[in-house]
Amino acid sequence: MIKQQPSDRICRTNSDNKHFTRHGSVNYMKFGMRSLRRPQRDIDLINVTSNRTQMRLLESLSGNKHLINWPISLCPPIGDEITMYIVDSETNGIHVDACDIIELGALKVRYSPSAQRLTSIDDMLSCYEAPPNPISDEVIEITGISNEMLTGRMFNNAEVEQWFAEPGAILCNSKKYEQAFIEKRFPALCGREWLCLQEDIPWTNFGYRRISLSALLVEYGWHLCHMFTYMDCFAIAYLLVTQPRAFESLCEALYQEHQSQIEDSI
């Protein structure tokens, strides 16, 4: 999603492609990540290991999900897993009626309601679409997407809708914008349950002063320095694994939404 404040992206991708950098210095060896020099829009991912969970976000995806051995196991399955989607988008403006999505990224994840934790990342979606008119220099500066990158690109409606065919709630960074833009472009996704990283998790109760995605990552000592929407989704997954209380809050928000729907139907 295009941001009104470009500074929310802590730093931009440059020629040596430091997408995740250690706060205060470039330290690719943290969490076992190797330093790789790749073309500008390739990515390096991180291996996150804790006493409960191992997250293997493989290196150098380059937007090609076929390079990954799916699913990515985050912890042993509990047995009651259901699907959830993590989505992010870039647009050519902030006004839903007048603007369009130009990039869509998503992860299909599985989580256990009983254990209240993510157990796997099962698939990835990354696609682009050219808007009716060329994007502005400001949008190019904020998103890192050029008009040349969008030339001839179009979302395949059938493929996107099939990718989201399995029932599941949709989690995004900013529900106010993401839901409106995505439901406008893909009406088949209307009626889904939406969760918001910023609104449905009481980050301040956990001691966080700022709740933007980049600010939350900085709390863990990481800079988010990329321009891919699907990498925002991986970053969100990273946060939810690293901060279990955050995902527990999402599960509670989802439960409350279900209860509200049941009461409304009575």
Side-chain angles (χ1 to χ4, degrees), residues 117-165:
R117 65 187 184 193
L118 292 175
T119 58
S120 67
I121 302 175
D122 286 13
D123 203 358
M124 180 184 84
L125 177 70
S126 177
C127 48
Y128 296 83
E129 181 165 80
N133 300 307
I135 58 177
S136 67
D137 291 342
E138 180 183 9
V139 172
I140 294 172
E141 175 69 18
I142 295 172
T143 66
I145 299 172
S146 66
N147 285 295
E148 291 73 19
M149 290 173 57
L150 297 175
T151 301
R153 307 291 287 273
M154 181 179 296
F155 297 141
N156 185 317
N157 291 358
E159 288 185 2
V160 172
E161 292 171 6
Q162 178 60 36
W163 195 86
F164 283 97

Side-chain angles (χ1 to χ4, degrees), residues 11-227:
C11 51
R12 292 175 55 82
T13 302
N14 52 32
S15 59
D16 59 2
N17 198 44
K18 300 176 178 64
H19 292 278
F20 275 100
T21 59
R22 189 74 177 106
H23 185 42
S25 65
V26 180
N27 182 2
Y28 284 97
M29 300 311 294
K30 182 67 174 177
F31 300 124
M33 186 173 70
R34 297 192 302 272
S35 174
L36 299 178
R37 296 181 63 84
R38 301 281 185 182
Q40 181 172 348
R41 286 184 64 85
D42 281 5
I43 64 172
D44 294 331
L45 293 177
I46 54 178
N47 294 324
V48 179
T49 303
S50 70
N51 58 348
R52 297 195 337 169
T53 304
Q54 183 178 46
M55 176 185 276
R56 298 185 63 235
L57 303 184
L58 305 184
E59 299 170 326
S60 306
L61 293 177
S62 308
N64 186 348
K65 68 179 185 180
H66 301 295
L67 297 179
I68 303 177
N69 184 22
W70 301 99
I72 300 173
S73 178
L74 305 179
C75 68
I78 306 302
D80 61 348
E81 279 74 17
I82 57 179
T83 295
M84 177 183 289
Y85 300 92
I86 303 175
V87 303
D88 188 55
S89 64
E90 293 287 6
T91 68
N92 60 348
I94 63 174
H95 302 292
V96 177
D97 293 338
C99 301
D100 303 284
I101 298 176
I102 57 177
E103 181 186 7
L104 177 65
L107 293 179
K108 185 181 298 183
V109 302
R110 300 279 287 175
Y111 77 98
S112 165
S114 62
Q116 295 188 330
R117 65 187 184 193
L118 292 175
T119 58
S120 67
I121 302 175
D122 286 13
D123 203 358
M124 180 184 84
L125 177 70
S126 177
C127 48
Y128 296 83
E129 181 165 80
N133 300 307
I135 58 177
S136 67
D137 291 342
E138 180 183 9
V139 172
I140 294 172
E141 175 69 18
I142 295 172
T143 66
I145 299 172
S146 66
N147 285 295
E148 291 73 19
M149 290 173 57
L150 297 175
T151 301
R153 307 291 287 273
M154 181 179 296
F155 297 141
N156 185 317
N157 291 358
E159 288 185 2
V160 172
E161 292 171 6
Q162 178 60 36
W163 195 86
F164 283 97
E166 189 173 354
I170 298 176
L171 170 64
C172 62
N173 186 35
S174 177
K175 178 180 175 180
K176 176 181 177 181
Y177 291 103
E178 306 289 357
Q179 182 177 4
F181 272 102
I182 290 174
E183 289 184 346
K184 170 192 170 185
R185 181 59 184 82
F186 301 102
L189 296 182
C190 291
R192 292 290 184 101
E193 295 168 305
W194 284 77
L195 297 170
C196 181
L197 185 74
Q198 298 182 21
E199 297 176 7
D200 291 318
I201 298 175
W203 294 106
T204 54
N205 292 351
F206 302 152
Y208 298 92
R209 292 171 295 177
R210 298 168 56 205
I211 61 173
S212 69
L213 178 58
S214 55
L216 290 169
L217 288 172
V218 166
E219 294 287 344
Y220 286 92
W222 289 92
H223 280 173
L224 183 59
C225 311
H226 61 81
M227 289 298 169

Side-chain angles (χ1 to χ4, degrees), residues 245-261:
R245 291 184 299 170
F247 192 72
E248 290 169 6
S249 297
L250 284 180
C251 290
E252 179 62 25
L254 195 56
Y255 173 77
Q256 294 297 336
E257 178 67 21
H258 287 166
Q259 292 297 108
S260 177
Q261 292 178 358

